[in-house]
């Protein structure tokens, strides 16, 4: 009899324990009515989108070439398209498409120095550029260019370019005496940001 | 010869604009510059790319700044010439955000997080670029040029506070107690049988 009582108490204890566990683990999902006043809400929505597109002029997209050099040192060598536009204008430009809804600044840099496959280099200190929002035989101004290339993006004068307009460029290169013969190349980048944003 | 001159001039004038304005480029459209993202999972941000210029192109997205280390490679999408912004092609850039907020755990089971530490923020730019193929024989002499369109992006990693949840510990404890109870309740019977 005592054993049965002990067994019953154990079972009762176990059932109670299970109930406690159930109570603790059940999510509190039942919401009781409170009788309080209710409010209705609605959401306001507005989505703002920006867009811009840039392109490089044909001559710029083909690269910046300084031709074949046979006599050193050479100072302020003109890139081949610096003055080959109408009336001595440049044919290097970045165009901001009419299909844009913001003004644009152009950031400019070189990925690295001009190098040959044999790792001979022309340092960026020898490579200069100028930029302007107008294109004449005098603007962008030089030689030499007012900016020396760096591997960091920088802005020049080509800022706040409105859709449909261009930013113009000219480039010059110095090649010191004794520079090893070879074909030198590098990559020049044009990064468009919307006007006022840092590079 | 004189009769040919106006014809040549006319031909040149006709041809010049085509060569001078045969441009290719890259366009980007965006609707967000700040996003709240979840830690420990892939978060994708949607952009659109377009190309209102004369030549077909392939555009892909990449990121710079502190975002760069979390970016998942974006595949270039072909964007035909004359694709205006209202026909822009959707493209997303995904970031694999690691777990950044610490949890305080008791015995490795009961964990909590107060989110009192400063919010982790990753900032940088999303860059839309043309996928270029270098000519056979390497790049030409001089500088190869590359255009890109950049938009700023800040990702703030959300921290969700977690309160200590003792329920699993209590559940485990009670299961152990029940098992012990059952063992204890049956023990005298089996002892009695062995004695009998």
């Amino acid at each position: 009899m005592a054993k049965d009582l002990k067994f019953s108490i154990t079972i009762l204890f176990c059932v109670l324990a299970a109930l406690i566990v159930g109570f603790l683990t059940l999510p509190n999902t039942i919401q009781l009515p409170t009788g309080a006043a209710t409010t209705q809400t609605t959401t306001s929505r507005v989505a703002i989108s920006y867009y811009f597109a840039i392109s490089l002029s044909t001559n710029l997209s083909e690269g910046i070439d300084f031709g074949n050099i046979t006599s050193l040192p050479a100072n302020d060598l003109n890139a081949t398209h610096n003055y080959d536009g109408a009336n001595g204008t440049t044919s290097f430009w970045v165009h901001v498409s009419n299909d844009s809804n913001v003004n644009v600044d152009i950031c400019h840099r070189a990925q690295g120095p001009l190098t040959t496959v044999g790792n001979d280099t022309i340092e960026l200190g020898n490579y200069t550029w100028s930029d302007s929002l107008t294109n004449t035989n005098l603007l962008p101004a030089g030689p030499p260019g007012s900016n020396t290339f760096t591997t960091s993006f920088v802005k020049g004068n080509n800022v706040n370019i409105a859709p449909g307009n261009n930013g113009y460029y000219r480039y010059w290169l110095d090649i010191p005496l004794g520079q090893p013969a070879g074909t030198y190349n590098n990559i020049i980048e044009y990064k468009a940001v919307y006007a006022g944003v840092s590079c | 010869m004189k009769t040919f001159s106006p014809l040549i001039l006319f031909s040149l004038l006709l041809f010049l604009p085509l060569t001078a304005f045969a441009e290719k480029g890259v366009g980007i459209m965006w609707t967000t510059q700040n996003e709240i993202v979840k830690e420990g999972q892939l978060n994708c941000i949607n952009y659109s790319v377009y190309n209102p210029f004369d030549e077909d192109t392939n555009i892909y997205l990449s990121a710079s700044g502190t975002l760069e280390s979390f970016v998942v490679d974006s595949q270039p999408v072909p964007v035909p010439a004359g694709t205006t912004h209202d026909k822009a092609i959707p493209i997303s850039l995904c970031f694999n955000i690691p777990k950044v907020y610490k949890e305080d755990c008791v015995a490795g089971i009961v964990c909590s997080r107060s989110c009192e530490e400063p919010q982790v923020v990753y900032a940088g730019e999303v860059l839309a670029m043309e996928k270029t193929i270098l000519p056979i024989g390497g790049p030409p002499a001089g500088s190869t040029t590359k255009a890109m369109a950049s938009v700023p992006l800040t990702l703030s990693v959300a921290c969700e506070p977690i309160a200590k949840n003792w329920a699993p510990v209590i559940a485990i404890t009670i299961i152990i107690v029940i098992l012990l109870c059952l063992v204890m309740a049956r023990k005298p019977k089996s002892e009695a049988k062995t004695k009998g």
Side-chain angles (χ1 to χ4, degrees):
Chain A
M1 191 65 182
K3 275 180 187 173
D4 285 347
L5 184 66
K6 191 180 172 186
F7 183 73
S8 301
I9 290 167
T10 307
I11 295 299
L12 185 68
F13 176 77
C14 294
V15 169
L16 278 171
L19 282 171
I20 291 165
V21 172
F23 180 75
L24 286 170
T25 53
L26 262 179
N28 186 19
T29 54
I30 301 163
Q31 300 224 340
L32 296 172
T34 60
T38 59
T39 54
Q40 295 293 318
T41 59
T42 189
T43 54
S44 299
R45 183 187 171 277
V46 59
I48 299 168
S49 60
Y50 292 119
Y51 53 92
F52 65 81
I54 63 158
S55 66
L56 305 183
S57 65
T58 304
N59 284 339
L60 190 54
S61 67
E62 286 172 356
I64 303 163
D65 188 7
F66 293 92
N68 295 317
I69 311 304
T70 53
S71 174
L72 295 180
N75 292 318
D76 299 330
L77 279 171
N78 272 300
T80 49
H81 298 295
N82 270 2
Y83 296 97
D84 69 345
N87 302 317
T89 55
T90 176
S91 60
F92 290 135
W93 68 77
V94 175
H95 175 64
V96 179
S97 169
N98 265 322
D99 190 13
S100 305
N101 70 349
V102 287
N103 288 6
V104 161
D105 297 346
I106 306 293
C107 303
H108 205 17
R109 76 161 186 177
Q111 275 190 2
L114 288 153
T115 57
T116 63
V117 286
N119 282 331
D120 293 317
T121 61
I122 300 173
E123 295 303 328
L124 289 180
N126 296 299
Y127 199 167
T128 57
W129 57 278
S130 281
D131 63 340
S132 172
L133 293 171
T134 53
N135 189 14
T136 67
N137 61 336
L138 297 174
L139 289 173
S146 50
N147 305 284
T148 302
F149 268 112
T150 63
T151 52
S152 300
F153 278 107
V154 292
K155 286 181 192 177
N157 299 313
N158 286 340
V159 294
N160 205 25
I161 306 172
N165 290 294
N166 298 334
Y168 300 93
Y169 291 90
R170 284 194 175 110
Y171 300 93
W172 295 272
L173 185 64
D174 294 340
I175 306 176
L177 188 67
Q179 187 71 37
T183 300
Y184 291 78
N185 50 57
N186 71 351
I187 296 173
I188 300 295
E189 293 180 334
Y190 304 81
K191 181 171 77 174
V193 298
Y194 77 81
V197 171
S198 64
C199 286
Chain B
M1 190 67 188
K2 275 181 183 174
T3 52
F4 277 105
S5 298
L7 196 66
I8 291 165
L9 190 66
F10 177 73
S11 304
L12 279 172
L13 284 171
L14 200 70
F15 185 66
L16 262 174
L18 290 176
T19 52
F21 296 105
E23 296 176 7
K24 62 177 176 177
V26 59
I28 188 166
M29 187 172 176
W30 71 105
T31 54
T32 184
Q33 291 173 214
N34 296 286
E35 284 288 327
I36 295 168
V37 293
K38 289 182 177 176
E39 62 174 341
Q41 68 180 59
L42 201 64
N43 295 268
C44 296
I45 312 293
N46 296 321
Y47 293 89
S48 298
V49 288
Y50 68 108
N51 170 27
F53 305 106
D54 306 326
E55 291 183 33
D56 296 348
T57 186
N58 290 288
I59 298 174
Y60 69 100
L61 298 181
S62 73
S64 69
T66 54
L67 296 172
E68 191 175 1
S69 50
F70 308 116
V71 77
V72 177
D73 277 348
S74 146
Q75 292 302 310
V77 293
V79 188
T83 304
T84 51
H85 83 274
D86 52 342
K87 290 173 187 164
I89 295 166
I91 184 172
S92 61
L93 188 62
C94 297
F95 299 90
N96 208 347
I97 303 295
K99 278 196 170 280
V100 290
Y101 297 113
K102 286 178 185 171
E103 290 181 2
D104 294 323
C105 294
V106 177
I109 305 169
V110 182
C111 296
S112 70
R113 191 160 59 189
S114 60
C115 290
E116 283 170 355
E117 55 193 302
Q119 188 169 42
V120 175
V121 173
Y122 300 115
E125 313 166 281
V126 171
L127 300 161
M129 286 183 273
E130 187 197 1
K131 188 81 182 171
T132 48
I133 300 160
L134 279 177
I136 297 161
S143 301
T144 305
T145 52
K146 192 174 182 181
M148 59 190 82
S150 158
V151 297
L153 178 65
T154 302
L155 298 180
S156 305
V157 185
C159 182
E160 290 169 7
I162 303 170
K164 275 196 175 73
N165 183 5
W166 291 99
V169 174
I170 292 166
I172 290 164
T173 310
I174 287 173
I175 287 164
I176 291 166
V177 168
I178 290 169
L179 288 172
L180 282 173
C181 289
L182 289 170
V183 168
M184 283 173 72
R186 289 188 177 203
K187 206 174 180 181
K189 274 187 181 175
S190 54
E191 277 175 3
K193 273 183 187 175
T194 51
K195 278 178 186 174

